[in-house]
Amino acid sequence: MKKQVEDKKAALLEAALKLFTERGFHGTSTAQISKEAGVATGTLFNYFPTKEDLINGLYFEVKGDLSRKMGKDVQTQNTFKEKLRKMWYNLVEWGLDNQEEFLFVGQFCSSPYITSHTREVVMEEYVFFHDLVAEGLANGELGDYPPEMITSMFYQSSRTIVDYILYSEPKDRNKAIEDGFKVVWEGLARK
């Protein structure tokens, strides 16, 4: 029975992701999500009492996956710059491999559905990133900028590189990722 419940919930999240990225939040109804998932609309409300709960639940799932990918093997790097570069590669590659999810995160961050509670819960997943930024500030490798600005610049720059690679199709994907890191590093590093 537990497997069946997990399958229905996963089907709803997958359908919601597909439809939200295709049609936006306002252009997607819960009935459309239920139909796409192959479940009754009432079933959707058993898992997610409101559309906002579904959107936030999907956001938590996607951001959790992203945080696991971003932090992978970062601590095996020797220097602050190498750690930040590894995180950059992880983030950009996740965006390239998970395009719907990457688009969804961008949509959600700009939507009225994101609440202070949602931000707080998600930030708990990214303590490792904030700790790394704090390390860079403390050891003088990053410029004297607000930590929130640094994390935002890092993330938004990754979105730019993902879009560039997807739509410009450069000959050398790794060079594009590295060039993107160089731009970010030169902008954030202490001069």
Side-chain angles (χ1 to χ4, degrees), residues 167-186:
Y167 302 113
S168 298
E169 300 177 1
K171 291 179 185 172
D172 188 341
R173 174 174 150 164
N174 284 334
K175 182 178 182 328
I177 296 171
E178 182 61 26
D179 287 348
F181 178 74
K182 287 176 185 174
V183 170
V184 169
W185 178 253
E186 289 171 12

Side-chain angles (χ1 to χ4, degrees), residues 104-160:
F104 172 77
V105 169
Q107 285 176 315
F108 187 85
C109 290
S110 304
S111 81
Y113 293 106
I114 193 163
T115 64
S116 57
H117 171 73
T118 301
R119 287 183 202 278
E120 288 172 20
V121 171
V122 167
M123 285 305 138
E124 293 171 12
E125 291 266 350
Y126 291 86
V127 169
F128 66 91
F129 184 33
H130 296 280
D131 288 349
L132 184 63
V133 169
E135 175 187 326
L137 288 167
N139 69 20
E141 292 194 60
L142 291 175
D144 189 22
Y145 307 117
E148 298 82 9
M149 186 180 91
I150 293 170
T151 58
S152 183
M153 293 291 292
F154 189 85
Y155 176 71
Q156 293 302 330
S157 296
S158 75
R159 292 185 54 78
T160 300

Side-chain angles (χ1 to χ4, degrees), residues 57-143:
L58 179 58
Y59 185 68
F60 292 138
E61 288 281 327
V62 170
K63 288 293 277 191
D65 182 53
L66 173 56
S67 75
R68 287 184 292 280
K69 177 63 176 183
M70 266 182 78
K72 188 173 172 38
D73 299 326
V74 169
Q75 292 307 319
T76 64
Q77 306 303 305
N78 295 318
T79 67
F80 170 78
K81 185 177 179 181
E82 289 170 353
K83 289 176 186 176
L84 196 64
R85 177 184 281 118
K86 180 65 177 165
M87 195 173 289
W88 173 262
Y89 270 81
N90 289 346
L91 174 56
V92 172
E93 288 172 352
W94 182 88
L96 293 168
D97 294 341
N98 300 278
Q99 294 171 30
E100 281 186 332
E101 289 86 345
F102 204 66
L103 179 58
F104 172 77
V105 169
Q107 285 176 315
F108 187 85
C109 290
S110 304
S111 81
Y113 293 106
I114 193 163
T115 64
S116 57
H117 171 73
T118 301
R119 287 183 202 278
E120 288 172 20
V121 171
V122 167
M123 285 305 138
E124 293 171 12
E125 291 266 350
Y126 291 86
V127 169
F128 66 91
F129 184 33
H130 296 280
D131 288 349
L132 184 63
V133 169
E135 175 187 326
L137 288 167
N139 69 20
E141 292 194 60
L142 291 175

